């Protein structure tokens, strides 16, 4: 059945009414009305697609909180195609992309070495059930690059984290885990939790409706980078199966607590608590060996995904044999009296080791191996320079935003926006829309550079920021030359 086509409503009257009740000045109302109309016109096919699919498609992805004021721009840009650092939307607009597949596309969009590997596999077919030809090779490559002993494959990062926690609990025989506030570990119920600030006893409460309190009773939420957290871990050591850590959080790339991580490693080693590094974003990004190599330590288990799948869905659980043997009972040989002796936990998934994911991962890992750490060095340096240039400009303008980076991940270091300062918050939301309107594809104020981004791309982004700020000044959303 063909979906009935819905036409976009004429919104100018509603918009005018809405703007008039939003406490904006006349100058701001006029500017915002013009901007919203321009933005909607520039991306009208994206908007139309959203409108047409909304009755059938339940999708809240990547849009941020709904703000009635920006309702007419609340839709995702629909991509038509991509290459290198660029994407093109269905309206024919070109963007320098800094979302980069939410951190997947370290080599830019559609790099030929991955595309060719995928096409070759498609020619051979997609065999799920029998083993993929390259799965052992991929595991070995991961072990070589990360220093981990054994590797197992899932389809997403969420599954990888969920399985890593299960393994840690199975092997240690303990129930509780520690996570740190500010860390995102995917959408497994067991990590969709936040600190219980009311009771202030490091216990956790569900982050969202539908997550049962029983699911989070065995989780402590501690402050990341705070030495007091180490003391709390010591107090609970007998009960702790694992400490789960995102070494550098996407939301706070400036927080890189090397000493804390080393102390955490020592403590968890001494108390036989599994240290799990969630390297979904940092893995294969900051260094070929991920954050562990960068900070000079080794976790017991690490979870990976994103980059390593080369655009295909993937999750990796890698770790010491002591833990990973819980997947298959441990290593054994033919022709002798060995057999799988370790007690197992349950692990499965129809799509695990999908031939397309495996072949893409092989291409990515081989490429990383052949390029060596200079690929990361150059890209990390380039991102650091980009962020320095951006910060320089933001400081000169007196804007309440400073950026930080961890390798090719960049994001807000200090967004000095309090709830009372709603003008600044509004300006920051508008900045995002202005950058999109200038052809910079981004979600919030964070993003990723890839090896495909050129100096020209970086200058383009910097200029777009400057132009957007000037426009926001002209609309009365930023003061002409004073702090917000
Ligand atoms: C640190 C971290 N862990 C886990 C996940 C979940 O991965 P996925 O979205 O592949 O399930 C993410 C996703 O962004 C992540 O950043």
């Amino acid at each position: 059945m063909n979906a009935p086509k819905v036409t976009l409503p004429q919104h100018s009257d509603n918009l005018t009414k809405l703007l008039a009740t939003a406490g904006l000045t006349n100058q701001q109302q006029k500017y915002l009305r013009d901007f919203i109309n321009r933005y909607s016109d520039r991306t009208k096919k994206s908007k139309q697609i959203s409108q047409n699919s909304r009755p059938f498609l339940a999708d809240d992805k990547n849009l941020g909180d709904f703000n009635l004021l920006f309702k007419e721009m609340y839709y995702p840009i629909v991509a038509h195609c991509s290459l290198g650092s660029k994407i093109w939307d269905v309206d024919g607009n070109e963007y320098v992309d800094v979302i980069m597949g939410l951190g997947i596309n370290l080599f830019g969009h559609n790099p030929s070495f991955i595309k060719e590997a995928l096409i070759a596999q498609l020619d051979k077919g997609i065999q799920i059930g029998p083993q993929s030809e390259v799965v052992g090779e991929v595991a070995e490559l991961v072990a070589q690059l990360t220093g981990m002993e054994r590797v197992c494959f899932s389809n997403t990062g969420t599954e990888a984290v969920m399985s890593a926690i299960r393994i840690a609990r199975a092997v240690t025989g303990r129930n509780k885990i520690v996570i740190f506030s500010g860390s995102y570990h995917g959408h497994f119920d067991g990590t969709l939790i936040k600190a219980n600030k009311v009771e202030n006893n490091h216990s956790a409460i569900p982050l969202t409706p539908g997550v049962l309190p029983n699911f989070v009773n065995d989780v402590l939420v501690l402050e990341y980078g705070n030495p007091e957290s180490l003391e709390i871990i010591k107090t609970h050591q007998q009960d702790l199966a694992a400490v789960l850590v995102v070494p550098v959080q996407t939301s706070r790339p400036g927080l890189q607590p090397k000493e804390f991580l080393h102390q955490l490693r020592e403590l968890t080693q001494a108390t036989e608590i599994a240290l799990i590094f969630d390297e979904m974003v940092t893995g294969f990004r900051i260094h070929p060996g991920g954050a562990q190599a960068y900070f000079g330590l080794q976790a017991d288990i690490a979870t990976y995904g994103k980059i390593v799948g080369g655009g295909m869905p993937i999750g990796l659980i890698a770790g010491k044999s002591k833990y990973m043997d819980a997947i298959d009972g441990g290593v054994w040989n033919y022709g002798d009296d060995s057999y799988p002796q370790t007690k197992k936990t349950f692990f499965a998934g129809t799509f695990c080791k999908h031939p397309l994911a495996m072949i893409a991962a092989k291409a990515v890992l081989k490429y990383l191996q052949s390029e060596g750490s200079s690929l990361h060095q150059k890209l990390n340096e380039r991102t650091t320079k980009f962020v320095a240039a951006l910060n320089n400009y933001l400081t000169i303008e007196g804007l309440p935003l400073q950026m930080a980076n961890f390798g090719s991940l960049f994001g807000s270091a200090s967004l000095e926006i309090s709830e009372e300062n709603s003008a600044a918050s509004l300006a920051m939301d508008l900045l995002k829309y202005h950058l999109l309107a200038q052809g910079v594809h981004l979600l919030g104020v964070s993003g990723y550079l890839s090896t495909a981004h050129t100096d020209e791309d970086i200058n383009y982004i910097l200029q777009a920021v400057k132009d957007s700020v000037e426009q926001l000044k002209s609309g009365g959303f930023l003061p002409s030359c004073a702090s917000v």
Side-chain angles (χ1 to χ4, degrees):
M1 192 184 84
N2 286 333
K5 289 280 172 276
V6 184
T7 44
L8 288 176
Q10 289 302 312
H11 56 74
S12 357
D13 284 352
N14 285 345
L15 184 59
T16 305
K17 269 190 249 156
L18 185 65
L19 294 173
T21 54
L24 301 174
T25 63
N26 286 342
Q27 179 198 13
Q28 288 174 326
Q29 286 180 46
K30 179 176 180 334
Y31 178 84
L32 199 49
R33 190 173 48 243
D34 290 349
F35 175 75
I36 290 173
N37 285 333
R38 256 188 294 130
Y39 184 92
S40 300
D41 191 48
R42 178 183 148 92
T43 52
K44 52 182 168 303
K45 283 195 188 158
S46 283
K47 185 169 185 173
Q48 187 79 57
I49 287 170
S50 245
Q51 178 72 43
N52 288 344
S53 59
R54 194 166 299 119
F56 318 104
L57 177 68
D59 179 27
D60 203 20
K61 192 170 180 278
N62 297 343
L63 283 171
D65 292 338
F66 183 86
N67 180 342
L68 198 54
L69 199 55
F70 301 142
K71 176 183 157 180
E72 294 300 332
M73 302 189 290
Y74 194 73
Y75 50 92
I77 297 298
V78 180
H80 172 63
C81 60
S82 60
L83 189 67
S85 58
K86 307 267 174 59
I87 65 158
W88 288 267
D89 71 9
V90 283
D91 288 283
N93 300 308
E94 181 178 292
Y95 299 80
V96 175
D97 187 19
V98 293
I99 299 179
M100 296 317 281
L102 304 168
I104 290 169
N105 305 115
L106 186 71
F107 320 104
H109 287 280
N110 215 359
S112 54
F113 69 94
I114 297 177
K115 182 174 154 184
E116 281 156 21
L118 288 171
I119 291 172
Q121 182 62 45
L122 279 172
D123 280 343
K124 289 199 218 166
I126 297 172
Q127 305 81 16
I128 289 171
Q131 192 74 297
S132 145
E133 272 179 281
V134 299
V135 67
E137 195 181 347
V138 176
E140 195 173 346
L141 283 163
V142 172
Q144 284 166 0
L145 282 166
T146 63
M148 287 298 182
E149 290 171 6
R150 304 191 73 208
V151 184
C152 147
F153 298 98
S154 64
N155 303 295
T156 63
T158 299
E159 281 174 71
V161 169
M162 178 178 72
S163 307
I165 295 171
R166 188 184 306 134
I167 291 170
R169 284 180 167 146
V171 171
T172 59
R174 301 171 183 166
N175 291 349
K176 289 196 185 300
I177 63 164
V178 163
I179 66 169
F180 293 101
S181 40
S183 297
Y184 174 66
H185 294 288
H187 55 93
F188 164 46
D189 287 34
T191 58
L192 276 181
I193 62 189
K194 61 182 176 186
N196 186 348
K197 290 211 170 118
V198 178
E199 298 206 352
N200 199 20
N201 59 358
H202 316 293
S203 64
I205 49 172
L207 182 70
T208 190
V211 174
L212 301 178
N214 279 348
F215 232 110
V216 303
N217 281 347
D218 283 314
V219 184
L220 303 179
V221 185
L222 304 183
E223 206 180 309
Y224 191 43
N226 185 342
E228 263 180 39
S229 300
L230 300 172
E231 294 308 315
I232 297 161
I233 291 172
K234 268 188 212 158
T235 317
H236 291 272
Q237 58 179 275
Q238 305 287 357
D239 301 321
L240 285 173
V243 175
L244 176 58
V245 59
V246 176
V248 176
Q249 302 174 348
T250 317
S251 55
R252 286 191 286 184
L255 181 57
Q256 301 169 15
K258 182 174 178 179
E259 203 188 322
F260 176 83
L261 285 169
H262 276 270
Q263 288 167 346
L264 183 62
R265 176 62 290 189
E266 269 175 40
L267 174 60
T268 47
Q269 198 143 26
T271 48
E272 297 195 1
I273 301 168
L275 178 62
I276 307 175
F277 260 40
D278 182 351
E279 292 236 40
M280 219 56 63
V281 169
T282 55
F284 308 103
R285 171 179 309 285
I286 185 68
H287 182 281
Q292 293 168 83
Y294 179 83
F295 288 121
L297 52 79
Q298 186 117 55
D300 297 303
I301 306 176
T303 53
Y304 303 93
K306 299 209 186 236
I307 289 173
V308 67
M312 291 291 111
I314 202 166
L316 265 60
I317 309 114
K320 296 186 172 154
S321 302
K322 172 182 170 188
Y323 291 97
M324 298 307 294
D325 289 355
I327 295 288
D328 62 357
V331 178
W332 53 275
N333 300 304
Y334 298 108
D336 60 18
D337 57 2
S338 62
Y339 62 95
Q341 293 199 40
T342 303
K343 194 169 172 205
K344 290 195 283 182
T345 182
F346 187 81
F347 178 80
T350 301
F351 293 107
C352 293
K353 302 176 286 175
H354 192 289
L356 288 174
M358 288 299 104
I359 209 72
K362 179 182 161 185
V364 167
L365 293 162
K366 283 262 179 208
Y367 188 81
L368 286 176
Q369 206 170 44
S370 70
E371 292 289 306
S373 55
S374 70
L375 177 147
H376 295 83
Q377 239 163 33
K378 277 190 224 150
L379 176 58
N380 296 351
E381 273 169 28
R382 171 170 278 202
T383 316
T384 302
K385 268 196 201 159
F386 162 64
V387 166
L390 203 50
N391 280 341
N392 188 30
Y393 170 73
L394 294 168
T395 307
I396 291 169
E397 286 294 320
L399 292 168
L401 177 65
Q402 281 289 292
M403 306 292 283
N405 70 300
F406 185 59
S408 49
L409 158 72
F410 62 88
S412 148
S414 60
L415 199 52
E416 294 163 21
I417 293 176
S418 60
E419 271 177 22
E420 306 87 68
N421 197 349
S422 57
S425 156
L426 187 64
M428 287 303 125
D429 279 346
L430 275 172
L431 179 61
K432 178 188 87 174
Y433 283 113
H434 278 68
L435 287 168
L436 282 164
Q438 313 254 357
V440 179
H441 188 235
L442 79 173
L443 281 178
V445 286
S446 64
Y448 304 89
L449 291 188
S450 73
T451 56
H453 284 88
T454 60
D455 286 343
E456 202 186 346
D457 292 327
I458 290 170
N459 290 335
Y460 185 89
I461 300 168
L462 290 169
Q463 192 57 48
V465 172
K466 292 176 188 174
D467 292 347
S468 299
V469 167
E470 287 308 316
Q471 288 176 29
L472 286 168
K473 283 183 192 171
S474 79
F477 287 97
L478 285 174
S480 283
C481 58
S483 293
V484 181

